[in-house]
Amino acid sequence: MILPIIGYGDPVLRKTGEVLSPEHPNLKETIVNMYETMYNAYGVGLAAPQVGLALRLFVIDTTPFSDDEELEDVEQKELKGFKKTFINAKMIKEEGEEWSFNEGCLSIPDVREDVYRNPTITIEYCEEDFVMKTEVFEGLIARVIQHEYDHIEGILFTDKISSLKKRLIQKKLKNILEGKTFQDYRMKFFAKKGR
């Protein structure tokens, strides 16, 4: 089932996600719905707060990035088919020299900004089997994970840009808050009149 994506300004996007247990009601269904919602919106990642659930859960599939001609063959291969569910993720380390990449977010449509992040991360998480793993990820995969991880910590990519850039996008953010934006996927807006 395709769920509406929660727009910028909704308090759920600022909450720290709750830890999940294997007994969490409808968890498998929620994960399936999140993948469907992400694919429907042509996203590469989606976190539970973006569908209105303050939970430590996000899904990613970096396949769309694998078509980028500017990437080396090795990275294109890594990105193709990299699909993973992250439950109860905990960032252990972010390291290396920060690099810039133009990021966007399904909850903040029509806003893209350069964000600096570390190239290598070590993260602890469970997949759907709830077996805890610790893994190291690099490059674009690490970036997508960092972006989605921020969501379960109540952080948005717009928090990581300069105050000048924040001022420049203020009008766009206000329009999103009020639902004055158009995109190809369903959204739910916090301050939309008559919602």
Side-chain angles (χ1 to χ4, degrees):
M1 186 171 75
I2 293 164
L3 307 168
I5 290 173
I6 303 298
Y8 176 85
D10 193 299
V12 74
L13 295 174
R14 292 302 186 180
K15 289 183 178 161
T16 304
E18 288 175 33
V19 171
L20 285 151
S21 74
E23 294 76 41
H24 189 84
N26 307 322
L27 181 59
K28 286 210 182 316
E29 187 185 335
T30 299
I31 293 167
V32 169
N33 292 345
M34 283 176 65
Y35 275 111
E36 264 185 60
T37 303
M38 177 181 76
Y39 293 135
N40 179 64
Y42 302 102
V44 291
L46 187 69
Q50 292 180 277
V51 291
L53 304 168
L55 302 171
R56 297 191 76 77
L57 166 66
F58 60 89
V59 298
I60 71 170
D61 186 341
T62 59
T63 303
F65 283 143
S66 67
D67 298 334
D68 189 336
E69 306 278 310
E70 290 176 26
L71 298 174
E72 291 176 24
D73 289 350
V74 175
E75 191 159 18
Q76 282 182 328
K77 281 194 185 102
E78 281 175 3
L79 292 162
K80 194 165 189 68
F82 185 88
K83 177 181 172 180
K84 210 174 260 297
T85 301
F86 289 79
I87 297 171
N88 299 335
K90 184 169 187 265
M91 195 67 73
I92 306 298
K93 261 194 302 204
E94 294 172 280
E95 46 198 344
E97 193 176 324
E98 288 189 343
W99 62 293
S100 170
F101 187 81
N102 195 257
E103 291 189 20
C105 178
L106 296 176
S107 292
I108 313 174
D110 304 323
V111 175
R112 297 197 66 86
E113 291 294 339
D114 289 342
V115 177
Y116 283 85
R117 296 190 189 270
N118 302 90
T120 307
I121 61 165
T122 305
I123 191 166
E124 194 178 83
Y125 69 99
C126 301
E127 286 183 284
E128 292 175 53
D129 56 9
F130 275 85
V131 173
M132 191 60 86
K133 302 178 167 182
T134 303
E135 281 190 271
V136 175
F137 296 102
E138 293 180 322
L140 272 176
I141 289 172
R143 178 171 290 271
V144 174
I145 293 169
Q146 285 166 308
H147 179 109
E148 298 310 327
Y149 181 83
D150 279 352
H151 274 300
I152 65 170
E153 292 290 332
I155 299 165
L156 301 172
F157 85 94
T158 49
D159 298 341
K160 297 183 175 286
I161 62 175
S162 71
S163 48
L164 170 66
K165 283 190 172 166
K166 278 183 191 148
R167 280 201 301 277
L168 293 173
I169 63 168
Q170 216 157 12
K171 177 99 175 93
K172 279 185 176 178
L173 294 178
K174 186 176 185 289
N175 285 343
I176 295 166
L177 181 70
E178 295 172 358
K180 296 175 188 166
T181 179
F182 301 97
Q183 59 293 313
D184 298 338
Y185 51 90
R186 277 176 65 209
M187 286 192 76
K188 197 170 167 188
F189 303 101
F190 185 65
K192 187 173 182 175
K193 305 242 184 308
R195 68 179 215 145

